[in-house]
Amino acid sequence: MADESPTLDLLERLAAAPDRMTIDALCRQIGLPEPILRGRLALLVARGWVEADAEGSSYAIGVGALRPLGAYLSADRTARLAGPILGRLRDQLGESIRLVRLDGAAIVCLAVRESAHDLGGPVVGRRFPAISAASGRAILAGRDAAELDAILAAGVRAHTADSVVDRAELDAALAECRARGVAYERGEVLPGVGCIAAAVRVDGLPVTDAISCGAPLSRLTHDHAEDIAAGVRRAADELAAAILG
């Protein structure tokens, strides 16, 4: 049986790319000869997982890639339970609210209730560095120290100009999260946007999820940040209770 890992690498590369990728760039990054790569791309295009331009020279992730995402979210009990909770908090705060999950060194958005002035755009399924995101920090603050060490040992790259990469500063941010029950970041994932998050802590289960609230920095006054912090803590506790119930 042929090794399918290059095909999976291909899908992951296209899913992570901010724009279409040329066949030359894909050949270099995937490490397959062009004829083999074109054959795999043709199959993925036929299945709808990948989209090609008219000349077949550049490619992007296709709408078919939403099928496994939709199936995953439909089967995920936590995501289903979170929907009404996220909606109520969005209405209370007037800001976008998200449920995110830790996946390796990244966080993935599972559900969102957007506000009218959301600056992040569609984010369900998108991945961001866990150590830069408030939601990732909220989760990592409750995980084993060895897991954090492994993530940091792999190297921390700045996601934006404001991303914190210094180990001492990151340790201080996690310590603050443990003390206050919420994590903060300002412009470290999306320029001009701040985020406050609380982990969903369910007795007897590892911490994997968090509820976060993102707001334009222009709106993130001290009083509003305090209201958001209290809101995400309540929402995370409500979701944890619903999971146990």
Side-chain angles (χ1 to χ4, degrees):
M1 180 179 294
D3 181 9
E4 297 300 326
S5 58
T7 302
L8 296 177
D9 290 343
L10 175 58
L11 287 171
E12 290 182 349
R13 295 275 183 177
L14 290 171
D19 204 347
R20 305 182 74 88
M21 295 188 68
T22 65
I23 190 71
D24 290 341
L26 287 169
C27 283
R28 289 194 305 270
Q29 295 188 25
I30 303 301
L32 287 177
E34 182 175 334
I36 295 176
L37 183 62
R38 284 192 178 278
R40 298 197 181 207
L41 284 167
L43 176 60
L44 292 170
V45 169
R47 297 287 184 91
W49 288 71
V50 170
E51 295 177 353
D53 66 0
E55 293 77 27
S57 60
S58 67
Y59 297 83
I61 199 72
V63 69
L66 289 174
R67 290 194 293 268
L69 173 63
Y72 178 85
L73 294 177
S74 296
D76 191 89
R77 181 169 176 265
T78 298
R80 295 198 307 271
L81 291 171
I85 297 171
L86 303 184
R88 287 193 294 271
L89 188 58
R90 186 267 316 275
D91 294 343
Q92 292 166 11
L93 297 174
E95 308 290 357
S96 295
I97 312 297
R98 296 179 173 89
L99 173 71
V100 305
R101 179 162 295 162
L102 185 68
D103 181 24
I107 53 101
V108 181
C109 180
L110 299 186
V112 61
R113 295 298 182 270
E114 295 176 354
S115 70
H117 45 261
D118 187 280
L119 298 180
V123 295
V124 172
R126 289 178 64 186
R127 301 167 63 85
F128 297 100
I131 202 64
S132 297
S135 50
R137 292 174 184 172
I139 296 168
L140 289 171
R143 304 281 291 201
D144 188 272
E147 187 171 359
L148 174 61
D149 289 341
I151 290 174
L152 295 176
V156 178
R157 297 180 180 178
H159 188 70
T160 71
D162 294 315
S163 296
V164 173
V165 296
D166 179 73
R167 176 64 187 265
E169 291 184 70
L170 292 170
D171 284 340
L174 293 174
E176 180 184 15
C177 176
R178 295 185 188 101
R180 301 189 61 176
V182 291
Y184 298 81
E185 61 90 358
R186 298 174 66 86
E188 294 187 52
V189 172
L190 295 172
V193 176
C195 189
I196 302 172
V200 179
R201 299 177 179 273
V202 182
D203 289 343
L205 297 177
V207 180
T208 59
D209 301 335
I211 290 177
S212 69
C213 174
L217 292 177
S218 59
R219 292 172 52 84
L220 205 52
T221 63
H222 173 78
D223 288 345
H224 193 35
E226 289 298 303
D227 289 341
I228 290 173
V232 294
R233 280 195 298 261
R234 288 195 305 270
D237 289 344
E238 184 180 353
L239 180 54
I243 292 169
L244 283 175

